[in-house]
Amino acid sequence: MESNPYFAVSSSSSGYQQQYGYGRGYQPSAFPLVRLRGLPFNCTDVDIFKFFAGLDIVDVFLVNKDGRFSGEAFVVFARHMQAELALQKDRQNMGRRYVEVFRCKKQEYYNAIAAEVSEGAYGSIDHRGSSPVARRKRSPDKDKMDYTEILKLRGLPYSVKKTDILKFFGDFDITEDKIQIACRPDGKVTGEAFVEFSSPEQARKAMCKDKMLIGSRYVELFPSAPDEARHAASRSRQ
């Protein structure tokens, strides 16, 4: 079984399996993933969180094709049993549309992420919570942007910890107190974070980590500024 710090796989008791109709021969998937089809075209990750209310979601990936939201998404859960429970939402409504929820392979999820990155599209990788169509844009020329000592990270796993970001920037001298993980007022993470380096030059060098992985997520890096970081912190406290 592939080891992944973001996707904990736990065994369930036979009584729990029988409660939900799983016999002795039931073999749960090691990767707790489902695929959604038929989503409204104004769907956001927040809508998917509400659709699966009560389940512990690790990641939501909204799929774009040819510059438009495809109506499909991948959802990763914290445990395989929660992914199985999510299948019970198959053909239930989101708005006026009924949504198909079905099993899929881990490689399909990875391929969808890789396709977004290779086309220069951010999709749900960065601008979480806004319209998928509005989110799609070409990557800016980051070499020509002005740098401060602050970098902004987008597309982080929802389960990300400061220690994960420290490991990501392992070649750079940063400490946990220089990392700010952005949260919504309800305490849930937004998929963004701010990291303060020792100088603008170090922040520019750290851009070598742009579009590298934390867990299964390609993380986008952008030059930022102290004012933007402070504004994000104030939103988290509201």
Side-chain angles (χ1 to χ4, degrees):
M1 182 183 299
E2 181 180 355
S3 174
N4 190 310
Y6 300 113
F7 307 121
V9 179
S10 59
S11 61
S12 302
S13 68
S14 59
Y16 194 83
Q17 291 176 344
Q18 291 172 3
Q19 178 183 355
Y20 287 95
Y22 304 131
R24 182 173 295 179
Y26 169 68
Q27 295 294 327
S29 170
F31 195 80
L33 172 71
V34 300
R35 187 169 184 171
L36 282 64
R37 180 181 295 150
L39 293 163
F41 286 96
N42 62 348
C43 175
T44 70
D45 61 335
V46 174
D47 296 319
I48 292 176
F49 269 88
K50 291 178 181 178
F51 186 70
F52 290 119
L55 300 181
D56 187 8
I57 292 176
V58 172
D59 187 31
V60 174
F61 185 82
L62 302 171
V63 180
N64 288 303
K65 290 183 180 179
D66 300 323
R68 299 190 176 202
F69 179 48
S70 66
E72 296 190 9
F74 294 89
V75 182
V76 182
F77 295 89
R79 286 171 286 279
H80 64 77
M81 186 56 70
Q82 293 196 341
E84 292 297 318
L85 293 174
L87 294 171
Q88 297 178 12
K89 300 286 288 185
D90 183 39
R91 298 185 182 274
Q92 293 192 21
N93 278 49
M94 182 183 293
R96 296 183 177 180
R97 300 184 62 125
Y98 73 83
V99 178
E100 296 179 65
V101 182
F102 54 96
R103 294 183 179 90
C104 66
K105 296 179 180 179
K106 176 172 60 176
Q107 195 58 47
E108 295 176 48
Y109 168 65
Y110 288 155
N111 289 346
I113 294 173
E116 288 274 315
V117 173
S118 66
E119 292 176 13
Y122 301 150
S124 62
I125 291 177
D126 50 27
H127 297 280
R128 297 178 185 266
S130 58
S131 166
V133 175
R135 288 199 305 253
R136 191 169 179 102
K137 56 180 71 175
R138 302 305 296 179
S139 178
D141 189 345
K142 297 172 186 176
D143 288 336
K144 295 181 180 179
M145 298 175 73
D146 293 330
Y147 280 78
T148 70
E149 66 276 15
I150 307 285
L151 288 185
K152 183 176 184 177
L153 287 66
R154 286 177 174 169
L156 294 164
Y158 287 101
S159 57
V160 72
K161 309 296 182 190
K162 288 187 177 182
T163 52
D164 302 318
I165 296 174
L166 281 177
K167 291 177 182 177
F168 184 70
F169 290 115
D171 296 333
F172 296 87
D173 185 20
I174 58 172
T175 56
E176 284 196 21
D177 63 307
K178 300 298 184 182
I179 299 171
Q180 174 193 321
I181 296 176
C183 297
R184 297 197 294 261
D186 61 4
K188 293 182 178 180
V189 300
T190 64
E192 297 183 350
F194 296 85
V195 178
E196 181 179 348
F197 294 83
S198 58
S199 67
E201 291 73 22
Q202 284 296 303
R204 185 182 289 273
K205 288 180 180 178
M207 288 296 295
C208 68
K209 305 290 289 185
D210 189 29
K211 295 186 180 179
M212 290 191 178
L213 290 171
I214 292 182
S216 64
R217 300 289 293 176
Y218 288 89
V219 178
E220 295 270 349
L221 305 183
F222 297 89
S224 185
D227 285 347
E228 185 179 12
R230 283 194 292 268
H231 183 60
S234 67
R235 288 202 308 268
S236 300
R237 292 191 295 267
Q238 288 177 356

